[in-house]
Amino acid sequence: MGFLPEQQVERISSYAISNGKDNFAILAPNNQYGQKFSSILKDMVKRKDGNFISGELYSNSSKDLEKAVSKVLSSYITSPNVKNKNRKNVKDGDKFYANAIIIPESGVVLSKIVALINKYNTSEREIQIIGSSNWDDISTLNDPNLI
């Protein structure tokens, strides 16, 4: 029967926040499971006083995966004290990027996503990649992109 998405998101968000990761993003498949997981994460993070930075749903095409990863990595929120609505003039110190990216995926697609995160994280920000119960698979544990 496994864990319900609500239970997984509760554990994931609690774990991340207890380890200093409070700016969340999600990369999820564009299906009912991915949409539900994204919605639950967004609500849970707000209840736990975290920040939901970005959520992207993708199809399995390489182009769509690249676009979704790029969007998540470039998305940010600004400090509440920033009054300037012109995002071009926001100072780097006032930008909050995701420091935890949730990926409820497995197999080859998960491996591709993590490889793309490594490729597009050109500023080498410290990002915690966190999975769902989908990661409970021997192929995931042995994937060189996930070690």
Side-chain angles (χ1 to χ4, degrees):
M1 288 176 47
F3 294 106
L4 296 172
E6 291 85 354
Q7 293 169 311
Q8 292 181 60
V9 172
E10 168 67 32
R11 289 183 181 188
I12 288 167
S13 57
S14 293
Y15 168 81
I17 288 172
S18 72
N19 285 285
K21 307 294 183 184
D22 56 359
N23 295 322
F24 291 83
I26 186 167
L27 286 159
N30 191 6
N31 58 29
Q32 187 175 1
Y33 177 74
Q35 292 165 3
K36 181 171 181 81
F37 215 93
S38 294
S39 175
I40 295 167
L41 178 68
K42 189 179 230 180
D43 292 340
M44 187 73 65
V45 166
K46 287 180 184 176
R47 283 199 303 258
K48 293 180 177 287
D49 293 327
N51 299 308
F52 187 81
I53 307 297
S54 177
E56 289 296 321
L57 301 174
Y58 56 81
S59 67
N60 287 343
S61 74
S62 293
K63 187 176 182 179
D64 200 38
L65 285 174
E66 284 198 48
K67 183 177 164 185
V69 168
S70 178
K71 276 184 160 181
V72 162
L73 290 176
S74 63
S75 294
Y76 63 88
I77 60 172
T78 58
S79 163
N81 62 354
V82 173
K83 298 192 184 342
N84 186 349
K85 299 295 182 196
N86 184 354
R87 292 178 70 95
K88 291 180 182 177
N89 296 328
V90 175
K91 297 175 185 167
D92 286 338
D94 290 325
K95 295 177 183 179
F96 295 97
Y97 293 93
N99 56 13
I101 299 177
I102 314 303
I103 309 173
E105 185 63 85
S106 63
V108 174
V109 176
L110 173 61
S111 185
K112 285 180 185 178
I113 291 170
V114 173
L116 288 168
I117 289 171
N118 291 332
K119 175 182 175 182
Y120 286 109
N121 185 15
T122 55
S123 61
E124 297 182 3
R125 289 194 319 264
E126 185 179 325
I127 301 169
Q128 178 74 49
I129 308 296
I130 303 173
S132 63
S133 64
N134 295 3
W135 285 29
D136 190 18
D137 182 273
I138 194 69
S139 66
T140 300
L141 297 174
N142 293 325
D143 188 315
N145 285 324
L146 300 170
I147 295 175

